[in-house]
Amino acid sequence: MTSALFTLAQPVVPILGQDNVYPVRRVFCVGRNYAGHAREMGSDPNREPPFYFSKSADSLVPGGGTIPYAPGTSNLHHEIELVVALGKTVFQATPEQAAGAVYGHAVGLDMTRRDLQNAAKDIGRPWDLGKSFEFSAPITALVPSATPMGAGAISLEVNGQTRQKGDLNEMIWSVPEVIAHLSQFYHLGLGDLIYTGTPEGVSAVKPGDTLVGRIDGLPELAVTIGPAA
Ligand code: MN
């Protein structure tokens, strides 16, 4: 008989208005899903197939709050995003089938070490150091909804000033299309979150900054950048 050498905390996201929590297995992220952000990153916003990277589930910061300024960067960026949680198994699905697999939505921040991401891009290396790190994925409570969100204002303020502003209807790939495409490559299901990309206006933060992310119909995400740690 074998037993675990030690136990690890299961990453979870709260569910709005419930005592239950949503356990997280994987965190997928879509790159460049808004034309304005694709342009500001120097890319062609034409409808090329979506691409993905992932964050470790223990990057999540449920409920936001204070996060340390990340180590190893001098250009820590915010990316405000709609997050979708899956509630059903879905594999090689059509967008119609994928739409039925949504459990709910949340507001998330895809915090990014932009200097490290850009350095990796330049020499064709993976993005992990730039994207998947401790405290890099603040997220609100999930709001259960059987219907994928497809419209509504999305914005991010830093110290009371609007930096990012857009509408979910500007997503190049809709929520059902993203799930359907990603499901060609993974057996998606319970415990899977998808960060669906960010509108234009990404910029650097510094210790002491207060970020407030909003998406119509979802809770506010408030994050303060603490000292480097
Ligand atoms: Mn992002």
Side-chain angles (χ1 to χ4, degrees), residues 29-32 37 53 55 78-81 109-112 114 117 127 131 195-198 202:
C29 305
V30 183
R32 294 195 284 266
H37 178 61
F53 56 90
K55 288 181 186 264
H78 54 76
E79 297 189 359
I80 190 70
E81 312 206 357
L109 271 167
D110 166 16
M111 298 303 294
T112 301
R114 191 73 70 201
Q117 183 203 19
W127 289 8
K131 286 292 196 178
Y195 278 60
T196 60
T198 198
V202 300

Side-chain angles (χ1 to χ4, degrees), residues 7-32:
T7 57
L8 292 172
Q10 166 72 56
V12 298
V13 178
I15 302 168
L16 195 72
Q18 298 186 23
D19 292 331
N20 296 325
V21 293
Y22 180 95
V24 178
R25 177 183 178 211
R26 296 181 290 194
V27 180
F28 297 99
C29 305
V30 183
R32 294 195 284 266

Side-chain angles (χ1 to χ4, degrees), residues 107-129:
V107 180
L109 271 167
D110 166 16
M111 298 303 294
T112 301
R113 291 159 160 158
R114 191 73 70 201
D115 42 2
L116 299 191
Q117 183 203 19
N118 286 341
K121 267 189 199 173
D122 287 347
I123 53 175
R125 287 189 181 159
W127 289 8
D128 298 55
L129 285 181

Side-chain angles (χ1 to χ4, degrees), residues 199-211:
E200 64 191 302
V202 300
S203 67
V205 296
K206 58 185 188 316
D209 284 348
T210 298
L211 286 58

